[in-house]
mmCIF file of all heavy atoms in Angstrom:
data_model
loop_
_atom_site.group_PDB
_atom_site.id
_atom_site.type_symbol
_atom_site.label_atom_id
_atom_site.label_comp_id
_atom_site.label_asym_id
_atom_site.label_seq_id
_atom_site.Cartn_x
_atom_site.Cartn_y
_atom_site.Cartn_z
ATOM 1 N N ALA A 1 0.825 -1.201 0.000
ATOM 2 C CA ALA A 1 0.000 0.000 0.000
ATOM 3 C C ALA A 1 0.861 1.254 0.000
ATOM 4 O O ALA A 1 0.493 2.273 -0.566
ATOM 5 C CB ALA A 1 -0.927 -0.009 1.211
ATOM 6 N N LYS A 2 1.996 1.231 0.668
ATOM 7 C CA LYS A 2 2.862 2.394 0.769
ATOM 8 C C LYS A 2 4.284 2.040 0.333
ATOM 9 O O LYS A 2 5.163 1.806 1.160
ATOM 10 C CB LYS A 2 2.878 2.933 2.198
ATOM 11 C CG LYS A 2 1.523 3.444 2.673
ATOM 12 C CD LYS A 2 1.617 3.980 4.084
ATOM 13 C CE LYS A 2 0.266 4.502 4.558
ATOM 14 N NZ LYS A 2 0.339 5.024 5.953
ATOM 15 N N PRO A 3 4.510 1.933 -0.930
ATOM 16 C CA PRO A 3 5.858 1.599 -1.385
ATOM 17 C C PRO A 3 6.821 2.728 -1.067
ATOM 18 O O PRO A 3 6.489 3.908 -1.229
ATOM 19 C CB PRO A 3 5.683 1.426 -2.909
ATOM 20 C CG PRO A 3 4.463 2.224 -3.231
ATOM 21 C CD PRO A 3 3.576 2.129 -2.037
ATOM 22 N N PRO A 4 8.009 2.405 -0.578
ATOM 23 C CA PRO A 4 8.973 3.460 -0.231
ATOM 24 C C PRO A 4 9.503 4.162 -1.474
ATOM 25 O O PRO A 4 9.742 3.545 -2.505
ATOM 26 C CB PRO A 4 10.077 2.682 0.486
ATOM 27 C CG PRO A 4 9.984 1.287 -0.056
ATOM 28 C CD PRO A 4 8.527 1.053 -0.335
ATOM 29 N N ASN A 5 9.632 5.524 -1.317
ATOM 30 C CA ASN A 5 10.207 6.338 -2.403
ATOM 31 C C ASN A 5 9.457 6.165 -3.723
ATOM 32 O O ASN A 5 10.063 6.020 -4.788
ATOM 33 C CB ASN A 5 11.685 6.002 -2.605
ATOM 34 C CG ASN A 5 12.498 6.242 -1.340
ATOM 35 O OD1 ASN A 5 12.242 7.187 -0.598
ATOM 36 N ND2 ASN A 5 13.471 5.365 -1.095
ATOM 37 N N ALA A 6 8.107 6.165 -3.626
ATOM 38 C CA ALA A 6 7.308 6.018 -4.841
ATOM 39 C C ALA A 6 7.435 7.276 -5.697
ATOM 40 O O ALA A 6 7.395 8.396 -5.184
ATOM 41 C CB ALA A 6 5.840 5.791 -4.481
ATOM 42 N N PRO A 7 7.621 7.153 -6.998
ATOM 43 C CA PRO A 7 7.736 8.334 -7.858
ATOM 44 C C PRO A 7 6.410 9.082 -7.917
ATOM 45 O O PRO A 7 5.337 8.477 -7.790
ATOM 46 C CB PRO A 7 8.099 7.730 -9.225
ATOM 47 C CG PRO A 7 7.571 6.332 -9.166
ATOM 48 C CD PRO A 7 7.709 5.886 -7.745
ATOM 49 N N PRO A 8 6.423 10.423 -8.066
ATOM 50 C CA PRO A 8 5.168 11.188 -8.136
ATOM 51 C C PRO A 8 4.365 10.814 -9.374
ATOM 52 O O PRO A 8 4.917 10.511 -10.428
ATOM 53 C CB PRO A 8 5.647 12.640 -8.201
ATOM 54 C CG PRO A 8 7.052 12.557 -8.720
ATOM 55 C CD PRO A 8 7.600 11.266 -8.188
ATOM 56 N N THR A 9 3.072 10.865 -9.217
ATOM 57 C CA THR A 9 2.181 10.548 -10.334
ATOM 58 C C THR A 9 2.117 11.734 -11.289
ATOM 59 O O THR A 9 2.570 12.837 -10.978
ATOM 60 C CB THR A 9 0.781 10.218 -9.820
ATOM 61 O OG1 THR A 9 0.228 11.392 -9.177
ATOM 62 C CG2 THR A 9 0.822 9.072 -8.812
ATOM 63 N N ALA A 10 1.503 11.487 -12.438
ATOM 64 C CA ALA A 10 1.354 12.562 -13.426
ATOM 65 C C ALA A 10 0.495 13.693 -12.870
ATOM 66 O O ALA A 10 0.750 14.871 -13.129
ATOM 67 C CB ALA A 10 0.739 12.004 -14.708
ATOM 68 N N THR A 11 -0.527 13.340 -12.075
ATOM 69 C CA THR A 11 -1.394 14.363 -11.473
ATOM 70 C C THR A 11 -0.614 15.218 -10.488
ATOM 71 O O THR A 11 -0.757 16.450 -10.463
ATOM 72 C CB THR A 11 -2.584 13.697 -10.764
ATOM 73 O OG1 THR A 11 -3.336 12.923 -11.712
ATOM 74 C CG2 THR A 11 -3.494 14.743 -10.140
ATOM 75 N N GLN A 12 0.229 14.582 -9.679
ATOM 76 C CA GLN A 12 1.033 15.339 -8.721
ATOM 77 C C GLN A 12 2.004 16.286 -9.423
ATOM 78 O O GLN A 12 2.190 17.429 -9.005
ATOM 79 C CB GLN A 12 1.804 14.379 -7.819
ATOM 80 C CG GLN A 12 0.915 13.602 -6.853
ATOM 81 C CD GLN A 12 1.697 12.549 -6.079
ATOM 82 O OE1 GLN A 12 2.716 12.037 -6.558
ATOM 83 N NE2 GLN A 12 1.215 12.193 -4.896
ATOM 84 N N LEU A 13 2.606 15.823 -10.492
ATOM 85 C CA LEU A 13 3.521 16.676 -11.248
ATOM 86 C C LEU A 13 2.794 17.870 -11.847
ATOM 87 O O LEU A 13 3.298 19.001 -11.830
ATOM 88 C CB LEU A 13 4.207 15.866 -12.346
ATOM 89 C CG LEU A 13 5.204 14.795 -11.882
ATOM 90 C CD1 LEU A 13 5.675 13.961 -13.070
ATOM 91 C CD2 LEU A 13 6.389 15.449 -11.173
ATOM 92 N N LEU A 14 1.592 17.636 -12.384
ATOM 93 C CA LEU A 14 0.805 18.720 -12.965
ATOM 94 C C LEU A 14 0.416 19.736 -11.888
ATOM 95 O O LEU A 14 0.504 20.951 -12.106
ATOM 96 C CB LEU A 14 -0.446 18.149 -13.635
ATOM 97 C CG LEU A 14 -1.418 19.185 -14.227
ATOM 98 C CD1 LEU A 14 -0.728 19.979 -15.334
ATOM 99 C CD2 LEU A 14 -2.672 18.496 -14.755
ATOM 100 N N GLU A 15 -0.004 19.258 -10.735
ATOM 101 C CA GLU A 15 -0.393 20.163 -9.654
ATOM 102 C C GLU A 15 0.788 20.982 -9.162
ATOM 103 O O GLU A 15 0.642 22.168 -8.846
ATOM 104 C CB GLU A 15 -1.019 19.366 -8.509
ATOM 105 C CG GLU A 15 -2.373 18.770 -8.856
ATOM 106 C CD GLU A 15 -2.956 17.944 -7.725
ATOM 107 O OE1 GLU A 15 -2.205 17.640 -6.760
ATOM 108 O OE2 GLU A 15 -4.150 17.600 -7.789
ATOM 109 N N ASP A 16 1.965 20.383 -9.108
ATOM 110 C CA ASP A 16 3.165 21.120 -8.693
ATOM 111 C C ASP A 16 3.493 22.225 -9.699
ATOM 112 O O ASP A 16 3.873 23.341 -9.315
ATOM 113 C CB ASP A 16 4.356 20.172 -8.550
ATOM 114 C CG ASP A 16 4.223 19.265 -7.340
ATOM 115 O OD1 ASP A 16 3.404 19.566 -6.450
ATOM 116 O OD2 ASP A 16 4.937 18.233 -7.298
ATOM 117 N N ARG A 17 3.359 21.928 -10.989
ATOM 118 C CA ARG A 17 3.628 22.947 -12.012
ATOM 119 C C ARG A 17 2.609 24.075 -11.930
ATOM 120 O O ARG A 17 2.972 25.259 -12.045
ATOM 121 C CB ARG A 17 3.617 22.307 -13.406
ATOM 122 C CG ARG A 17 4.835 21.451 -13.706
ATOM 123 C CD ARG A 17 4.957 21.167 -15.192
ATOM 124 N NE ARG A 17 3.835 20.386 -15.689
ATOM 125 C CZ ARG A 17 3.832 19.057 -15.766
ATOM 126 N NH1 ARG A 17 4.897 18.371 -15.375
ATOM 127 N NH2 ARG A 17 2.787 18.405 -16.239
ATOM 128 N N ASN A 18 1.353 23.731 -11.722
ATOM 129 C CA ASN A 18 0.308 24.754 -11.609
ATOM 130 C C ASN A 18 0.533 25.635 -10.379
ATOM 131 O O ASN A 18 0.337 26.854 -10.439
ATOM 132 C CB ASN A 18 -1.066 24.093 -11.532
ATOM 133 C CG ASN A 18 -1.469 23.430 -12.835
ATOM 134 O OD1 ASN A 18 -0.886 23.700 -13.893
ATOM 135 N ND2 ASN A 18 -2.456 22.551 -12.776
ATOM 136 N N ARG A 19 0.957 25.031 -9.274
ATOM 137 C CA ARG A 19 1.242 25.811 -8.069
ATOM 138 C C ARG A 19 2.381 26.789 -8.316
ATOM 139 O O ARG A 19 2.325 27.954 -7.897
ATOM 140 C CB ARG A 19 1.598 24.886 -6.901
ATOM 141 C CG ARG A 19 1.886 25.654 -5.597
ATOM 142 C CD ARG A 19 2.456 24.769 -4.522
ATOM 143 N NE ARG A 19 1.490 23.792 -4.061
ATOM 144 C CZ ARG A 19 1.555 22.484 -4.315
ATOM 145 N NH1 ARG A 19 2.554 21.997 -5.058
ATOM 146 N NH2 ARG A 19 0.651 21.655 -3.844
ATOM 147 N N ALA A 20 3.408 26.343 -9.019
ATOM 148 C CA ALA A 20 4.546 27.216 -9.309
ATOM 149 C C ALA A 20 4.126 28.407 -10.166
ATOM 150 O O ALA A 20 4.605 29.529 -9.964
ATOM 151 C CB ALA A 20 5.646 26.417 -10.004
ATOM 152 N N VAL A 21 3.228 28.175 -11.121
ATOM 153 C CA VAL A 21 2.736 29.270 -11.966
ATOM 154 C C VAL A 21 1.975 30.285 -11.123
ATOM 155 O O VAL A 21 2.173 31.503 -11.244
ATOM 156 C CB VAL A 21 1.843 28.719 -13.091
ATOM 157 C CG1 VAL A 21 1.152 29.856 -13.836
ATOM 158 C CG2 VAL A 21 2.657 27.877 -14.064
ATOM 159 N N ALA A 22 1.083 29.807 -10.260
ATOM 160 C CA ALA A 22 0.279 30.710 -9.435
ATOM 161 C C ALA A 22 1.141 31.514 -8.461
ATOM 162 O O ALA A 22 0.900 32.704 -8.232
ATOM 163 C CB ALA A 22 -0.774 29.909 -8.670
ATOM 164 N N LEU A 23 2.175 30.896 -7.906
ATOM 165 C CA LEU A 23 3.025 31.594 -6.943
ATOM 166 C C LEU A 23 3.822 32.718 -7.594
ATOM 167 O O LEU A 23 4.236 33.666 -6.913
ATOM 168 C CB LEU A 23 3.975 30.604 -6.270
ATOM 169 C CG LEU A 23 3.325 29.635 -5.280
ATOM 170 C CD1 LEU A 23 4.345 28.627 -4.769
ATOM 171 C CD2 LEU A 23 2.687 30.390 -4.112
ATOM 172 N N ARG A 24 4.036 32.653 -8.906
ATOM 173 C CA ARG A 24 4.761 33.719 -9.596
ATOM 174 C C ARG A 24 4.019 35.048 -9.515
ATOM 175 O O ARG A 24 4.639 36.117 -9.524
ATOM 176 C CB ARG A 24 4.990 33.348 -11.059
ATOM 177 C CG ARG A 24 5.950 32.201 -11.286
ATOM 178 C CD ARG A 24 6.221 32.005 -12.773
ATOM 179 N NE ARG A 24 6.953 33.152 -13.333
ATOM 180 C CZ ARG A 24 7.187 33.304 -14.635
ATOM 181 N NH1 ARG A 24 6.742 32.411 -15.491
ATOM 182 N NH2 ARG A 24 7.865 34.350 -15.068
ATOM 183 N N VAL A 25 2.688 34.987 -9.434
ATOM 184 C CA VAL A 25 1.901 36.220 -9.324
ATOM 185 C C VAL A 25 2.317 36.998 -8.079
ATOM 186 O O VAL A 25 2.537 38.216 -8.127
ATOM 187 C CB VAL A 25 0.397 35.890 -9.270
ATOM 188 C CG1 VAL A 25 -0.421 37.148 -9.017
ATOM 189 C CG2 VAL A 25 -0.045 35.211 -10.561
ATOM 190 N N PHE A 26 2.455 36.308 -6.961
ATOM 191 C CA PHE A 26 2.753 36.985 -5.700
ATOM 192 C C PHE A 26 4.234 37.329 -5.573
ATOM 193 O O PHE A 26 4.579 38.424 -5.130
ATOM 194 C CB PHE A 26 2.312 36.094 -4.535
ATOM 195 C CG PHE A 26 0.852 35.782 -4.557
ATOM 196 C CD1 PHE A 26 0.371 34.645 -5.191
ATOM 197 C CD2 PHE A 26 -0.064 36.635 -3.960
ATOM 198 C CE1 PHE A 26 -0.982 34.362 -5.225
ATOM 199 C CE2 PHE A 26 -1.417 36.366 -3.993
ATOM 200 C CZ PHE A 26 -1.889 35.224 -4.630
ATOM 201 N N GLU A 27 5.093 36.397 -5.946
ATOM 202 C CA GLU A 27 6.520 36.602 -5.737
ATOM 203 C C GLU A 27 7.134 37.540 -6.768
ATOM 204 O O GLU A 27 7.943 38.414 -6.414
ATOM 205 C CB GLU A 27 7.256 35.258 -5.762
ATOM 206 C CG GLU A 27 8.746 35.365 -5.483
ATOM 207 C CD GLU A 27 9.054 36.031 -4.156
ATOM 208 O OE1 GLU A 27 8.269 35.842 -3.195
ATOM 209 O OE2 GLU A 27 10.059 36.752 -4.071
ATOM 210 N N GLU A 28 6.747 37.407 -8.031
ATOM 211 C CA GLU A 28 7.402 38.181 -9.082
ATOM 212 C C GLU A 28 6.649 39.464 -9.428
ATOM 213 O O GLU A 28 7.252 40.541 -9.462
ATOM 214 C CB GLU A 28 7.587 37.307 -10.327
ATOM 215 C CG GLU A 28 8.487 36.100 -10.074
ATOM 216 C CD GLU A 28 8.720 35.272 -11.325
ATOM 217 O OE1 GLU A 28 8.819 35.866 -12.410
ATOM 218 O OE2 GLU A 28 8.793 34.028 -11.219
ATOM 219 N N ILE A 29 5.341 39.369 -9.693
ATOM 220 C CA ILE A 29 4.596 40.569 -10.073
ATOM 221 C C ILE A 29 4.522 41.560 -8.917
ATOM 222 O O ILE A 29 4.773 42.758 -9.095
ATOM 223 C CB ILE A 29 3.189 40.198 -10.570
ATOM 224 C CG1 ILE A 29 3.283 39.453 -11.910
ATOM 225 C CG2 ILE A 29 2.324 41.452 -10.722
ATOM 226 C CD1 ILE A 29 1.949 39.071 -12.495
ATOM 227 N N PHE A 30 4.191 41.084 -7.699
ATOM 228 C CA PHE A 30 4.009 41.994 -6.570
ATOM 229 C C PHE A 30 5.295 42.208 -5.770
ATOM 230 O O PHE A 30 5.757 43.331 -5.629
ATOM 231 C CB PHE A 30 2.891 41.479 -5.659
ATOM 232 C CG PHE A 30 1.524 41.664 -6.239
ATOM 233 C CD1 PHE A 30 0.827 40.593 -6.786
ATOM 234 C CD2 PHE A 30 0.923 42.909 -6.258
ATOM 235 C CE1 PHE A 30 -0.431 40.763 -7.326
ATOM 236 C CE2 PHE A 30 -0.340 43.102 -6.804
ATOM 237 C CZ PHE A 30 -1.017 42.027 -7.343
ATOM 238 N N ASN A 31 5.878 41.149 -5.237
ATOM 239 C CA ASN A 31 7.027 41.330 -4.347
ATOM 240 C C ASN A 31 8.269 41.830 -5.073
ATOM 241 O O ASN A 31 9.068 42.570 -4.502
ATOM 242 C CB ASN A 31 7.339 40.020 -3.616
ATOM 243 C CG ASN A 31 6.239 39.648 -2.633
ATOM 244 O OD1 ASN A 31 5.390 40.470 -2.293
ATOM 245 N ND2 ASN A 31 6.247 38.410 -2.179
ATOM 246 N N GLN A 32 8.453 41.424 -6.326
ATOM 247 C CA GLN A 32 9.592 41.911 -7.110
ATOM 248 C C GLN A 32 9.223 43.106 -7.986
ATOM 249 O O GLN A 32 10.078 43.619 -8.715
ATOM 250 C CB GLN A 32 10.159 40.791 -7.971
ATOM 251 C CG GLN A 32 10.712 39.616 -7.173
ATOM 252 C CD GLN A 32 11.259 38.510 -8.072
ATOM 253 O OE1 GLN A 32 11.517 38.702 -9.260
ATOM 254 N NE2 GLN A 32 11.434 37.321 -7.503
ATOM 255 N N CYS A 33 7.939 43.503 -7.920
ATOM 256 C CA CYS A 33 7.454 44.670 -8.673
ATOM 257 C C CYS A 33 7.774 44.534 -10.166
ATOM 258 O O CYS A 33 8.406 45.408 -10.762
ATOM 259 C CB CYS A 33 8.045 45.951 -8.104
ATOM 260 S SG CYS A 33 7.196 47.453 -8.654
ATOM 261 N N ARG A 34 7.307 43.434 -10.766
ATOM 262 C CA ARG A 34 7.577 43.175 -12.185
ATOM 263 C C ARG A 34 6.267 42.874 -12.919
ATOM 264 O O ARG A 34 6.023 41.761 -13.371
ATOM 265 C CB ARG A 34 8.542 42.009 -12.331
ATOM 266 C CG ARG A 34 9.925 42.250 -11.720
ATOM 267 C CD ARG A 34 10.747 40.967 -11.743
ATOM 268 N NE ARG A 34 10.924 40.466 -13.108
ATOM 269 C CZ ARG A 34 11.294 39.222 -13.401
ATOM 270 N NH1 ARG A 34 11.511 38.348 -12.415
ATOM 271 N NH2 ARG A 34 11.445 38.836 -14.648
ATOM 272 N N PRO A 35 5.384 43.864 -13.050
ATOM 273 C CA PRO A 35 4.106 43.617 -13.735
ATOM 274 C C PRO A 35 4.270 43.305 -15.210
ATOM 275 O O PRO A 35 3.353 42.774 -15.842
ATOM 276 C CB PRO A 35 3.335 44.924 -13.521
ATOM 277 C CG PRO A 35 4.400 45.958 -13.320
ATOM 278 C CD PRO A 35 5.512 45.255 -12.596
ATOM 279 N N GLU A 36 5.437 43.610 -15.776
ATOM 280 C CA GLU A 36 5.636 43.384 -17.212
ATOM 281 C C GLU A 36 5.678 41.912 -17.586
ATOM 282 O O GLU A 36 5.555 41.563 -18.768
ATOM 283 C CB GLU A 36 6.924 44.073 -17.675
ATOM 284 C CG GLU A 36 8.215 43.463 -17.132
ATOM 285 C CD GLU A 36 8.593 43.940 -15.749
ATOM 286 O OE1 GLU A 36 7.824 44.734 -15.171
ATOM 287 O OE2 GLU A 36 9.644 43.528 -15.244
ATOM 288 N N ILE A 37 5.859 41.013 -16.600
ATOM 289 C CA ILE A 37 5.927 39.584 -16.921
ATOM 290 C C ILE A 37 4.557 38.923 -16.889
ATOM 291 O O ILE A 37 4.460 37.700 -17.006
ATOM 292 C CB ILE A 37 6.881 38.841 -15.970
ATOM 293 C CG1 ILE A 37 6.299 38.805 -14.549
ATOM 294 C CG2 ILE A 37 8.257 39.459 -15.975
ATOM 295 C CD1 ILE A 37 7.033 37.872 -13.624
ATOM 296 N N ALA A 38 3.500 39.712 -16.738
ATOM 297 C CA ALA A 38 2.159 39.136 -16.674
ATOM 298 C C ALA A 38 1.833 38.310 -17.916
ATOM 299 O O ALA A 38 1.132 37.297 -17.838
ATOM 300 C CB ALA A 38 1.117 40.236 -16.482
#
């Protein structure tokens, strides 16, 4: 049921990529003041 060091599934990889895209709004556009990368 719980294999050690199981590789991430395709869904997990997609969710991680989507999270990284969303976090760019806060870190780059606002905190780094770079609205030009929208």
Side-chain angles (χ1 to χ4, degrees):
K2 296 181 179 180
N5 301 323
T9 64
T11 301
Q12 291 174 333
L13 292 173
L14 177 62
E15 291 178 348
D16 289 343
R17 287 196 296 267
N18 291 344
R19 181 190 293 109
V21 171
L23 289 175
R24 292 186 67 188
V25 174
F26 300 92
E27 183 57 34
E28 298 183 36
I29 292 181
F30 286 104
N31 292 345
Q32 297 180 17
C33 195
R34 297 172 59 198
E36 68 277 2
I37 68 169

